[in-house]
Amino acid sequence: GHNLGSDGQARESLREDLQEFLGGEVLLYQLDDLTKVNPVTLETVLRCLQSRYMADTFYTNAGCTLVALNPFKPVPQLYSPELMREYHAAPQPQKLKPHVFTVGEQTYRNVKSLIEPVNQSIVVSGESGAGKTWTSRCLMNFYAVVAASPTSWESHKIAERIEQRILNSNPVMEAFGNACTLRNNNSSRFGKFIQLQLNRAQQMVGAAVQTYLLEKTRVVCQAFSERNFHIFYQICKGASEDERLQWHLPEGAAFSWLPNPERSLEEDCFEVTREAMLHLGIDTPTQNNIFKVLAGLLHLGNIQFAASEDEAQPCQPMDDAKCSVRTAASLLGLQEDVLLKTVQIRTIRAGRQQQLFRKPCPRAECDTRRDCLAKLIYARLFDWLVSVINSSICADTNSWTTFIGLLDVYGFESFPDNSLEQLCINYANEKLQQHFVAHYLRAQQEEYAAEDLEWSFISYQDNQPCLDLIEGSPISICSLINEECRLNRPSSAAQLQTRIETALAGSPCLGHNKLSREPGFIVVHYAGPVRYHTGGLVEKNKDPIPPELTGLLQQSQDPLLLGLFPTNPKEKTQVEPSGQSRAPVLTVVSKFKASLEQLLQVLHSTTPHYIRCIKPNSQSQAQTFVQEEVLSQLEACGLVETIHISAAGFPIRVSHQNFVERYKLLRRLRPCTSSGPHSPYPAKGLPEWCPHAKEATLEPLLQDILHTLPVLTQTKATPGDLAEAMPTPVHCGRTKVFMTDSMLELLECGRDQVLEQCARCIQSGWRRHRQRKQERQRQATILIQAAIRSWLTRKRIQRLHAAATVIKRTWQKWRIRMACLAAEELDDVEEKHLSQAPGSLSTSPLQTRLLEAVIRLWPLGLVLTNTAMGVGNFQRKLVVWACLQLPRGSPSSYTVQTAQQDQAGVTSIRAMPQGSIKFHCKKSPLRYADICPEPSPYSLG
C-alpha cells in the first residue's frame, strides 16, 4: 500500500510539473537545449519543438544531438556566408543559437585540437524528406568557407578550385542519384560518405566520395506518383533544339520509364548540372555522349514485346516499338538486329563440353533482359561518374593528414510495396541506430559501471534483437535469402515466406499478417513495423547479368560504352562457371553488408556527431506541424532517452594520462591554499587505489588540476551569477575522467588562458632579450666607432707629427745653411774692408763698443726684417733701424728694401723661405768697412 501511494504521489507530482511547464508555453521557443526541459517527456519535447518551429527556429540542441526541423521554405539568411564566419570566429560557438554550423565548427575545432580520435564524422539521419541532403550540402558549404585560409595568392587559387569542385560534386550526384518519391521531392536513392580531407594546417585540400546501394531498379520501375532519376527529366526539359534532334527527344514525346513529366521541380535545372560537370573536368563532348546514352535508355524502355504463339520462335517487338528499337540501337552504338537477338534469345552452356544452346525467351523474360540491360548501363555510368568526381577532387595521400566525414544515407522507409531496396535501407538505419546507442547510451552506462561511478541507469530501446533477425548467425533473413539464391531451383515467394516464418519464429521482431494475400513478412524495426513482399526478392538479390548482355555492350561503337565495358580477357564471366566448380554467388545483400561493415569501422575510428532531421509533416508544407507524425519520429530515434542520458550523464571521457598531458598547464592557476581541507574537490573524489606506479604518479597531478576548477569558474562567471559560479562536477573513475561539455569548454578556456599567459611571457622575454641584444650591439658599435676614430686620430696625429718633424728638420737645415751663408758673406766683406783699411787708424772705446754691437746685432736684424710671421712691416723697419742705427751720419741716407719692393739692386743671399730678399746698399752700412778691425771675441766668424 505504501508503494502504491508513493507511485500515485509521483504521478501526481509529474502531472503538476507538466501543467506548470506547459502553462508557460510562451517561453518554450526560448529553450535552445531540450535537456533544460523539465520534466523530459515526449509531450514536453514535442510541445517545445512545435513552439520553436512556429517561431521559425528550426534547430534545437538535444544534449549530444542536434535536432533539425525541415522548414519546407527557403531561408537564405540562415545559411549566408556571413553567418558561417560568425560561427567560425566565435570564441564559444556553443553559446550562439543552435545551428548546423555549430556542429560543423565543433568538428573543425576538434581536428585542430588534435584530441584523439582526431578524425571526425557527422551522421545525418532521419526519414526520407526530413532534410538530410540539404543539411549535408550546408555542411560542405561551411567547410569550404572556413577551412580555406591559404597565405599566398597561388595557394588561394588552388584551394578555391578544389572547393568549387567539391561543391560542384553535389548537383552532379543529386542529378544522377536522387529522385522524387512520395515523401520527398529530392530523395537520395543511394547512400554516400563524403570524406573532406584536411592538411596539417587544417585547410581543405580534397575530398573523396563513397557510395552505397544505388537504387538502379528505379531506372526501369517507378512507384505510383513517383519519378525516375532527375537527370532524365533535365535532358528532356533543358536540351536545345539541336540536342533534341541529335538525341531523338522531340517535344511532347512519351516514354514508359519517364512518368509524371509534367511536374516541374527545382531540381530540373539542366544548366546547373552541365556547368558542374564542366568544372569537374567532364568536357562538353563527353557530356553529350553521356546524355545520348541516357536518351538511348529512354527509347530502350519503349520497346514492348508481343507474346509469341510458338515457343520455338522469339518474341517480336510490337509495331509501334520498332522505331524505338532502331533509335535505341543508334544512340547506344549497337546494331539493331544484334540488340534484338540478345534480348530475345538466351544463350545456355550445358554439358561437360560446355555446348552452346540458344533458347527463345518468353515475353516476361524479354522484358526482364531489356530492364537488366538498362540497369547495367546506368549502374556502370553512375560508378564511372563517382570515379571521375573522386579523381577530380581527391587529394594525394601525402598531402592530407585528417578528415571530416559526412554520412548521408537514406532514411527509414515504409511504403505500401516494400522489397529488397527498402530492406537494405532499413537495415542500414538499424545499424546506424545501434552505433548511436552504442556510442552515447549503452557505452556510457556500461562504462560508468566499470569505472565505479554512481549512476541511475536509464532504460533505452535496444535494437539488437532486430539486427539479429536481419543479419544474425547462423540463421537470419539475409542468410535465408542468400541461400535461396545459391539453390539451383526456381524461387517461390510463398516458399520463402514459409522458410522465414518457420526458421525465425522465435524472434520478437518478426511479425505476421495472415490477412494479406500477397506473401511477405513483417519486421518490427526501431522506427516501426514494415511489411516486405517476398515476390521478386530472390531475383533482385541475385542481380543476374546475362553474359551475352555484357558481350553486346562490348561490341558497341560508342566510345563511352566501350570505356564502361572494356574487353578484358582475364575477366571470365562469373555467371557461366562449370557445374562442379561453381563459386558462391556474390549477392546484393552480401555486397551491401560488406560495405556497411566497412563504413561502421570508419565511424568507430572517428569522433561521431549526430544530426537528427525531423519532418514536420508529410505534405512538405511550411508552418505546418503535425504532432502525430513528429511524435512517431521522436519515438523512432529514441530522442527522449538521448535527452535523459545527456542531461544526467558525462559524454566526455578522457583517460587519466591524456587528461594530465593536456591540462597539466592549469596547475599554474592553482592557489597556494587549494590543497587544504576546504578544497571543493576533496581527495575522496579520486580513485583510492593505484595498481601501478604510473597511476600513482598521475593521482597528485589530477588533484592539482581539479583544484584549479573553482578559480576557472570564478574567472568565467559574472559577479551576479553566483549560482553559476559553482563548478560543474567532474568524476574520476578508475582509468578515465568523466565530464560534461560545459566542463570541457571550461577546461579548454583555462588552458587557452594559461597558454596565452605563457605566450605573453615568452613574447616579453623575447622582447627583453632582443632589446638587450640590440643595446649590446649598439654599445659595441659605439665602441668600435670610437676605436676607429681614435685610431684614425692617432694616425692623423702621427702623420702631422711626421710632417712637423720633416718641416722642423728642413727648417733647421735651412736656418743653418742661411747662417752659414750669412757668415761666409760677412766674412768676405770684413776681410775685404779690413784688407783695404789703414792699419794706423785709432778708435775710441765708445766707437769700439758700438761697432761690436752692430756687428753682433746686424744678422739678427736682417732675420727679423725678412721674417713673414709675427712682425709687421712697420715693426720690422723699427727693428732694422734699431739694429742698423749708426752713431754718425743721417739715417735717411741709408735705405733697406725687402723683396716686396720692385727696385733694382743686388740680391742678398739672406732670403725669406717664401721668397728672396733684396738688400740694396748705396753705401755700405758698415762705417769702417774698409778698415779691418782687430779680432774681437764677438766676431761671428
Side-chain angles (χ1 to χ4, degrees):
H2 175 73
N3 293 335
L4 292 176
S6 61
D7 292 343
Q9 292 177 1
R11 285 194 295 270
E12 185 65 25
S13 176
L14 177 62
R15 190 178 300 107
E16 292 177 359
D17 292 341
L18 282 173
Q19 293 177 356
E20 181 181 357
F21 178 78
L22 297 177
E25 189 173 355
V26 180
L27 303 178
L28 290 182
Y29 69 93
Q30 298 180 358
L31 295 177
D32 292 340
D33 197 333
L34 294 178
T35 57
K36 300 178 182 178
V37 174
N38 188 20
V40 179
T41 63
L42 279 174
E43 184 178 1
T44 56
V45 171
L46 185 67
R47 294 284 291 273
C48 184
L49 291 176
Q50 183 177 9
S51 177
R52 291 177 63 81
Y53 182 77
M54 301 310 293
D56 285 345
T57 306
F58 308 110
Y59 293 103
T60 308
N61 289 326
C64 55
T65 306
L66 178 69
V67 179
L69 295 169
N70 194 338
F72 291 120
K73 64 179 180 180
V75 192
Q77 70 276 8
L78 196 59
Y79 308 99
S80 62
E82 293 77 15
L83 191 62
M84 297 180 189
R85 297 186 183 94
E86 179 182 351
Y87 275 83
H88 179 58
Q92 298 178 0
Q94 293 81 4
K95 292 189 176 181
L96 299 178
K97 293 182 179 180
H99 203 284
V100 65
F101 298 154
T102 308
V103 180
E105 182 61 23
Q106 183 64 41
T107 57
Y108 187 68
R109 294 192 182 188
N110 287 354
V111 171
K112 295 179 68 175
S113 66
L114 301 179
I115 299 178
E116 291 293 339
V118 179
N119 296 325
Q120 309 289 309
S121 61
I122 301 177
V123 180
V124 185
S125 60
E127 72 172 34
S128 180
K132 300 184 301 298
T133 302
W134 173 259
T135 301
S136 301
R137 190 187 307 171
C138 292
L139 286 170
M140 292 182 66
N141 290 333
F142 176 78
Y143 290 124
V145 171
V146 304
S149 55
T151 54
S152 63
W153 176 254
E154 183 179 358
S155 300
H156 174 72
K157 282 300 194 183
I158 296 175
E160 190 177 30
R161 185 170 64 251
I162 292 173
E163 296 157 18
Q164 191 61 38
R165 287 182 177 180
I166 293 174
L167 295 179
N168 283 327
S169 64
N170 265 335
V172 177
M173 299 288 287
E174 291 181 11
F176 285 84
N178 289 19
C180 176
T181 63
L182 292 174
R183 296 187 176 184
N184 185 9
N185 290 339
N186 191 29
S187 176
S188 297
R189 307 320 300 164
F190 69 104
K192 63 175 178 290
F193 182 73
I194 303 175
Q195 187 184 69
L196 303 178
Q197 301 160 348
L198 307 176
N199 60 10
R200 295 185 183 275
Q202 286 78 47
Q203 299 172 2
M204 190 163 59
V205 296
V209 180
Q210 185 176 359
T211 59
Y212 303 95
L213 192 65
L214 174 69
E215 190 188 14
K216 56 185 178 182
T217 56
R218 183 168 290 271
V219 177
V220 299
C221 180
Q222 305 83 29
F224 178 75
S225 298
E226 292 190 356
R227 300 203 319 174
N228 207 325
F229 291 105
H230 293 322
I231 188 62
F232 292 105
Y233 298 90
Q234 291 180 4
I235 61 176
C236 290
K237 296 180 180 181
S240 63
E241 293 297 331
D242 295 338
E243 291 171 342
R244 289 182 181 277
L245 293 176
Q246 183 181 358
W247 302 336
H248 300 277
L249 297 174
E251 287 280 356
F255 297 98
S256 301
W257 292 346
L258 202 68
N260 304 312
E262 68 282 352
R263 294 183 59 181
S264 296
L265 302 178
E266 182 183 355
E267 290 74 21
D268 296 340
C269 188
F270 190 43
E271 291 302 322
V272 173
T273 304
R274 299 202 68 160
E275 185 177 356
M277 295 175 70
L278 197 61
H279 283 118
L280 290 173
I282 305 176
D283 54 16
T284 303
T286 306
Q287 293 182 26
N288 293 333
N289 199 353
I290 293 172
F291 302 139
K292 184 182 70 171
V293 171
L294 294 178
L297 296 183
L298 291 178
H299 286 281
L300 186 65
N302 283 351
I303 301 177
Q304 301 295 331
F305 293 93
S308 176
E309 297 179 357
D310 187 2
E311 293 183 356
Q313 297 297 325
C315 298
Q316 296 298 325
M318 296 182 178
D319 294 338
D320 55 351
K322 293 181 179 180
C323 180
S324 298
V325 174
R326 189 182 312 109
T327 305
S330 174
L331 292 174
L332 297 177
L334 301 172
Q335 297 181 9
E336 181 180 353
D337 55 345
V338 176
L339 173 61
L340 269 180
K341 288 182 180 179
T342 305
V343 175
Q344 294 170 338
I345 300 174
R346 180 176 53 168
T347 303
I348 303 175
R349 293 182 181 272
R352 294 183 178 180
Q353 304 297 328
Q354 291 293 297
Q355 296 181 357
L356 189 64
F357 299 93
R358 300 184 183 277
K359 179 182 178 181
C361 300
R363 177 183 175 181
E365 189 174 353
C366 289
D367 294 340
T368 302
R369 293 170 69 87
R370 176 204 61 199
D371 296 348
C372 183
L373 180 64
K375 292 187 293 183
L376 177 62
I377 294 175
Y378 195 83
R380 288 284 183 95
L381 178 60
F382 185 81
D383 293 340
W384 177 81
L385 279 175
V386 173
S387 65
V388 169
I389 291 174
N390 283 331
S391 63
S392 176
I393 65 178
C394 188
D396 185 52
T397 308
N398 299 326
S399 62
W400 62 277
T401 56
T402 56
F403 70 85
I404 299 176
L406 300 180
L407 179 61
D408 176 15
V409 294
Y410 5 64
F412 182 82
E413 291 186 351
S414 178
F415 299 118
D417 186 7
N418 301 289
S419 187
L420 183 68
E421 294 82 8
Q422 283 69 40
L423 179 63
C424 292
I425 288 173
N426 294 337
Y427 167 51
N429 280 272
E430 290 282 355
K431 294 290 286 185
L432 292 176
Q433 176 68 12
Q434 185 192 43
H435 178 266
F436 174 78
V437 169
H439 188 268
Y440 280 108
L441 306 181
R442 183 171 58 195
Q444 286 194 24
Q445 295 189 358
E446 294 177 355
E447 197 166 9
Y448 292 163
E451 294 285 337
D452 292 342
L453 265 68
E454 295 182 1
W455 176 258
S456 57
F457 292 99
I458 298 173
S459 60
Y460 57 87
Q461 182 181 1
D462 191 0
N463 64 339
Q464 186 60 45
C466 183
L467 286 173
D468 293 337
L469 173 65
I470 298 175
E471 63 168 4
S473 179
I475 300 177
S476 62
I477 294 176
C478 292
S479 65
L480 292 175
I481 296 176
N482 288 334
E483 185 178 350
E484 283 290 328
C485 295
R486 289 192 296 267
L487 296 176
N488 190 13
R489 66 181 184 186
S491 176
S492 170
Q495 185 178 1
L496 178 61
Q497 176 188 358
T498 303
R499 289 197 63 189
I500 292 176
E501 292 178 350
T502 303
L504 302 173
S507 175
C509 295
L510 182 66
H512 307 277
N513 187 4
K514 298 181 180 180
L515 299 179
S516 177
R517 295 181 179 180
E518 296 183 2
F521 57 92
I522 297 176
V523 176
V524 182
H525 292 280
Y526 76 95
V530 178
R531 176 175 175 80
Y532 300 97
H533 297 290
T534 55
L537 199 64
V538 176
E539 286 73 15
K540 289 183 179 180
N541 190 37
K542 288 181 180 179
D543 193 20
I545 301 176
E548 51 267 28
L549 295 184
T550 305
L552 170 68
L553 295 175
Q554 290 175 348
Q555 301 175 9
S556 172
Q557 301 301 317
D558 185 82
L560 177 62
L561 291 179
L562 283 178
L564 297 179
F565 300 92
T567 304
N568 190 357
K570 296 182 181 180
E571 264 187 27
K572 300 299 180 183
T573 59
Q574 298 180 358
V575 292
E576 44 175 283
S578 60
Q580 300 298 328
S581 61
R582 178 168 301 176
V585 179
L586 191 60
T587 61
V588 173
V589 171
S590 301
K591 294 179 185 177
F592 184 72
K593 184 178 179 180
S595 61
L596 191 58
E597 290 295 335
Q598 182 181 4
L599 172 65
L600 290 173
Q601 288 180 3
V602 174
L603 293 181
H604 282 300
S605 65
T606 62
T607 301
H609 305 263
Y610 284 87
I611 300 178
R612 296 286 191 181
C613 297
I614 302 295
K615 189 176 181 180
N617 60 83
S618 58
Q619 291 78 28
S620 301
Q621 296 179 358
Q623 292 292 313
T624 303
F625 192 92
V626 181
Q627 293 188 357
E628 292 77 11
E629 297 182 8
V630 177
L631 185 62
S632 63
Q633 298 176 63
L634 295 179
E635 291 176 341
C637 65
L639 189 62
V640 175
E641 292 84 357
T642 304
I643 296 171
H644 275 296
I645 295 277
S646 300
F650 305 95
I652 308 300
R653 302 174 295 276
V654 185
S655 65
H656 289 172
Q657 181 69 26
N658 293 338
F659 184 83
V660 170
E661 288 181 357
R662 184 163 184 83
Y663 300 112
K664 61 184 176 181
L665 296 174
L666 298 180
R667 292 185 298 165
R668 297 172 178 264
L669 303 176
R670 183 171 63 91
C672 298
T673 60
S674 63
S675 59
H678 300 288
S679 173
Y681 289 93
K684 66 180 181 180
L686 295 171
E688 299 178 357
W689 63 282
C690 295
H692 304 289
K694 187 175 183 180
E695 294 183 3
T697 306
L698 292 177
E699 181 178 352
L701 296 178
L702 283 172
Q703 291 184 14
D704 292 342
I705 295 172
L706 294 178
H707 288 325
T708 63
L709 297 181
V711 180
L712 291 175
T713 308
Q714 294 174 3
T715 303
K716 294 298 178 183
T718 58
D721 297 337
L722 297 178
E724 296 182 2
M726 295 302 295
T728 307
V730 176
H731 290 276
C732 291
R734 292 175 175 266
T735 60
K736 295 181 181 180
V737 178
F738 294 80
M739 70 188 92
T740 59
D741 290 323
S742 59
M743 177 52 64
L744 177 64
E745 179 183 343
L746 186 65
L747 289 172
E748 288 294 327
C749 291
R751 184 173 181 271
D752 294 341
Q753 178 182 349
V754 175
L755 290 177
E756 184 179 357
Q757 293 176 358
C758 294
R760 289 179 179 176
C761 291
I762 294 173
Q763 290 175 354
S764 61
W766 166 249
R767 292 193 189 102
R768 184 168 56 252
H769 166 73
R770 185 176 59 180
Q771 186 176 1
R772 289 178 178 176
K773 183 178 179 180
Q774 291 177 353
E775 183 65 22
R776 287 195 299 266
Q777 291 178 351
R778 189 179 65 84
Q779 292 178 359
T781 303
I782 293 175
L783 292 176
I784 293 173
Q785 291 176 353
I788 293 175
R789 285 196 298 268
S790 176
W791 181 79
L792 292 176
T793 304
R794 285 199 307 270
K795 288 294 183 181
R796 186 170 181 272
I797 291 175
Q798 290 176 1
R799 289 196 300 271
L800 291 176
H801 181 71
T805 303
V806 172
I807 294 173
K808 180 180 179 181
R809 290 176 180 174
T810 305
W811 165 253
Q812 289 175 352
K813 292 179 181 180
W814 179 82
R815 187 180 61 180
I816 294 172
R817 184 180 179 187
M818 290 298 102
C820 293
L821 291 177
E824 291 177 359
E825 183 178 355
L826 290 177
D827 292 343
D828 293 340
V829 173
E830 288 180 356
E831 291 178 357
K832 181 178 179 180
H833 284 278
L834 288 176
S835 63
Q836 294 178 0
S840 62
L841 185 62
S842 60
T843 58
S844 63
L846 178 61
Q847 292 177 344
T848 302
R849 287 194 297 270
L850 289 174
L851 180 61
E852 292 176 354
V854 170
I855 293 172
R856 184 173 66 249
L857 298 175
W858 181 64
L860 181 60
L862 285 178
V863 173
L864 292 175
T865 303
N866 292 279
T867 184
M869 297 175 61
V871 182
N873 190 28
F874 178 71
Q875 293 177 344
R876 199 180 310 153
K877 288 185 177 182
L878 290 179
V879 173
V880 172
W881 177 260
C883 292
L884 302 180
Q885 188 174 11
L886 300 176
R888 294 175 184 169
S890 176
S892 60
S893 61
Y894 303 98
T895 305
V896 179
Q897 293 182 351
T898 64
Q900 283 79 7
Q901 297 173 343
D902 297 333
Q903 294 180 0
V906 180
T907 302
S908 173
I909 62 173
R910 296 174 180 85
M912 295 177 58
Q914 296 88 345
S916 61
I917 299 176
K918 296 181 180 180
F919 184 75
H920 304 280
C921 296
K922 294 182 179 180
K923 185 179 180 179
S924 176
L926 301 178
R927 185 176 181 180
Y928 304 100
D930 56 345
I931 299 175
C932 181
E934 294 293 332
S936 174
Y938 303 102
S939 175
L940 295 176

